[in-house]
Amino acid sequence: MGNDTALGFGLGLRPVYYGDIIGKTPDVDWFEVISENFLVPGGRPLSMLERIRRDYPIALHGVSMSIASVTPLDLDYLRDLRHLADRFEPALVSDHLCWTGVHGVNLHDLLPIPYTKEALAHVAERIARAQDVLKRRLVIENISSYTSSSLSEMDEWTFLAELTQRSGCALLLDINNIYVSSFNHGFCAETFLDAIPVDSVAQFHLAGHADHGAHKIDTHDSPVCEEVWSLFARARRRFGDVSTMIERDDNFPLFSELVAELDHARAIAADARELEIAQ
Amino acid sequence: MNLAEFQAAFQQAILADDDRLAPTFDETAEFCRKARIGVYIAAYRLRLAAVVAGDYPMLREALGEDAFEALTISYVEATQSSHANVRWYARDLPDFMAVQPRFRDQIAEQSLARFERALSDAFDAADAPVGSAEDLAEFGPETALRLQLEFHPSIRVLELTAGTTRAYESLCDGRSIESCGGDRELVLFWRQDGECFYRLIDDEEQFALKLAQDGYRFGELCQLLAFRVAGEDVSRRAAIFLSQWLADGLVSAIALDE
């Protein structure tokens, strides 16, 4: 689906890199920002985003919509998000297939759900309502997870494929999350990718993770690993030209190193494109 | 178990740090159920502790690692977040310290925590235009007594333990702090061009600033200030305050009361 609207290759906008971006317009096609960091009354983050928005497309990426929670949708949050989107006109507005808390508590984590028919109906209905408030198509990301529920009645990829069909949302495929979850739960990452409808994918995430031997944790604190690059190549062959970005949230390297990593993503995408043409 | 019961049990396991409360999960020999839930239990506490540490770096220096860790752990266990934005999570730490047996007598450290909280609040406050001396000059001296001011939303004045500002600056410079306490000091916090500022003010400036924020005309401000600074040239003193407020970027609009 991304062919007409693909943004190219972007990075997560983090304050540590403002000085590398403002006034220097580095070779980055777009930036993704964490929505909640800009849901504030005012101050430097918003003024920085205004300056960067003059030169680059942006995407808003949230962590607190809690779209899978049984707690009623936070309409104040959604309205604030809509105002932010109206102000900055992002190309994409995304959040995660997860819940962050119930009973008035926010655990500030991306928590997994059992993949049941009940959950599917619940989440699809909430996405539709959120899209009504936001006046935009929502993009939903697969999370990294460390638990899988015996209550599940279907695979995560089946759930996602059905969710996009029922709710009309698009999908953000986090390639690293697919890899991390496949390792932690013992499923085949390629099977996941191959089950996702081609026209549902609006964005890719790439990131690093921590290897704890028996399990892996999504940490965004290291470069993208070879296995994830390999999955990314497969994803580009299957889904084509989709907006792609690299997330980095800790152990921040020089900005030039992230740009070099982005160039590697570009090269893999170009190879995938050539392979597609050759076939 | 339905979705609501699943989420309630999962959340309770995380908050109580008790994997036995969690719903049933699949496991493998290499990555057992307890370890799987443990990832979420640990992540919850680490994430919130990181927020506290990020908001109070100089309090951490002042208390030392062990005491700050103890404070953070007790705050996280006692304080659940209810806000979508984790930025607001640690704002009640100074009040929390005041009622904790281990920290309630550490007045200087509580004052330092309030100082850092004020800087964070100024950082996130709403935006507003900034008035200048040129804006003031447009009105002419004959209208001075009818001037009314609006102020930047980031402005806040705190009464802190004497020496708090000096202690904060010493800690920022990596120096040890001298003992502070006993008397009080008034600190004005604000934001200009995205940067947060602070400076010590005296009782008269606090009084004048409060009057101006409450909408009193400049002439009324001078009259009321005269009761507190008898014998001084009150108009001149008030003009110096106004000049400093403009130079600091505290004033967002100047108007004449008709």
Side-chain angles (χ1 to χ4, degrees), chain B residues 193-228:
Chain B
D193 295 332
E195 300 296 324
C196 296
F197 297 93
Y198 60 85
R199 65 176 170 83
L200 293 168
I201 62 174
D202 60 24
D203 288 338
E204 283 70 36
E205 184 172 2
Q206 181 203 29
F207 181 69
L209 182 60
K210 180 70 168 60
L211 292 174
Q213 285 182 296
D214 287 347
Y216 283 90
R217 291 177 297 176
F218 195 67
E220 294 171 325
L221 185 155
C222 290
Q223 288 176 351
L224 292 166
L225 191 60
F227 289 107
R228 295 178 67 106

Side-chain angles (χ1 to χ4, degrees), chain B residues 28-42:
Chain B
T28 58
E30 299 80 20
F31 193 14
C32 68
R33 176 182 179 278
K34 184 180 178 70
R36 289 172 185 269
I37 300 162
V39 172
Y40 293 101
I41 289 173

Side-chain angles (χ1 to χ4, degrees), chain A residues 36 39-45 64 68-70 77 99 101-114 118-119 122 144-151 184-185 214-215 217, chain B residues 1-4 6-8 10-11 14-15 24-26 28 30-31 36-37 39-40 43-44 47-48 80-89 123-127 191 193-195:
Chain A
E36 287 75 10
L39 293 175
V40 290
R44 187 166 181 258
S64 282
S69 173
V70 295
Y77 171 86
W99 58 289
V102 289
H103 307 146
V105 176
N106 193 327
L107 298 166
H108 298 291
D109 201 352
L110 309 175
L111 300 165
I113 54 170
E118 179 207 4
H122 177 72
S144 282
S145 62
Y146 315 100
T147 55
S148 61
S149 173
S150 51
L151 300 171
N184 291 339
H185 305 307
H215 64 280
I217 295 184
Chain B
M1 176 178 270
N2 62 25
L3 186 61
F6 172 88
Q7 292 182 353
F10 203 158
Q11 177 166 296
I14 291 171
L15 292 174
T24 305
F25 290 119
D26 299 330
T28 58
E30 299 80 20
F31 193 14
R36 289 172 185 269
I37 300 162
V39 172
Y40 293 101
Y44 170 70
R47 182 171 295 106
L48 295 183
Q80 295 171 0
S81 174
S82 59
H83 202 285
N85 196 336
V86 77
R87 285 186 61 75
W88 314 130
Y89 175 70
F123 184 84
D124 289 318
D127 294 319
R191 189 185 71 231
D193 295 332
E195 300 296 324

Side-chain angles (χ1 to χ4, degrees), chain A residues 45-55 87-88:
Chain A
L46 286 165
S47 63
M48 292 292 108
L49 186 56
E50 273 186 349
R51 293 179 65 177
I52 289 166
R53 180 67 184 90
R54 288 178 210 147
D55 296 324
R87 177 175 174 182
F88 289 100

Side-chain angles (χ1 to χ4, degrees), chain A residues 51-68:
Chain A
R51 293 179 65 177
I52 289 166
R53 180 67 184 90
R54 288 178 210 147
D55 296 324
Y56 294 96
I58 64 161
L60 294 181
H61 184 54
V63 294
S64 282
M65 194 177 292
S66 200
I67 200 70

Side-chain angles (χ1 to χ4, degrees), chain A residues 5-219:
Chain A
T5 56
L7 300 172
F9 295 83
L11 290 174
L13 181 64
R14 305 294 182 260
V16 67
Y17 295 126
Y18 285 162
D20 296 289
I21 300 166
I22 291 174
K24 297 181 180 174
T25 55
D27 185 20
V28 177
D29 298 325
W30 60 286
F31 287 97
E32 183 186 85
V33 305
I34 302 299
S35 309
E36 287 75 10
N37 290 348
F38 300 89
L39 293 175
V40 290
R44 187 166 181 258
L46 286 165
S47 63
M48 292 292 108
L49 186 56
E50 273 186 349
R51 293 179 65 177
I52 289 166
R53 180 67 184 90
R54 288 178 210 147
D55 296 324
Y56 294 96
I58 64 161
L60 294 181
H61 184 54
V63 294
S64 282
M65 194 177 292
S66 200
I67 200 70
S69 173
V70 295
T71 293
L73 273 173
D74 185 343
L75 293 179
D76 288 339
Y77 171 86
L78 288 173
R79 279 190 282 264
D80 288 346
L81 182 59
R82 180 182 161 190
H83 291 147
L84 188 70
D86 288 346
R87 177 175 174 182
F88 289 100
E89 300 180 329
L92 300 162
V93 177
S94 62
D95 207 296
H96 302 81
L97 175 59
C98 73
W99 58 289
T100 61
V102 289
H103 307 146
V105 176
N106 193 327
L107 298 166
H108 298 291
D109 201 352
L110 309 175
L111 300 165
I113 54 170
Y115 300 116
T116 61
K117 292 170 189 164
E118 179 207 4
L120 180 59
H122 177 72
V123 178
E125 189 270 337
R126 282 165 66 93
I127 289 174
R129 285 172 49 208
Q131 290 179 145
D132 286 345
V133 177
L134 294 171
K135 307 290 185 195
R136 287 166 174 81
R137 189 183 195 193
L138 196 54
V139 185
I140 294 292
E141 176 184 349
N142 60 294
I143 60 170
S144 282
S145 62
Y146 315 100
T147 55
S148 61
S149 173
S150 51
L151 300 171
S152 290
E153 298 165 332
M154 64 191 89
D155 302 309
E156 183 181 358
W157 48 91
T158 305
F159 190 98
L160 283 166
E162 187 67 25
L163 186 65
T164 184
Q165 189 169 354
R166 286 199 194 187
S167 69
C169 73
L171 297 179
L172 190 173
L173 288 188
D174 188 311
I175 308 297
N176 179 61
N177 287 351
I178 294 174
Y179 177 70
V180 167
S181 290
S182 73
F183 184 90
N184 291 339
H185 305 307
F187 65 74
C188 173
E190 289 78 8
T191 299
F192 189 124
L193 278 182
D194 294 347
I196 299 297
V198 170
D199 62 358
S200 69
V201 179
Q203 189 184 338
F204 291 141
H205 269 176
L206 296 165
H209 59 261
D211 188 343
H212 291 258
H215 64 280
K216 298 181 190 296
I217 295 184
D218 182 35
T219 48

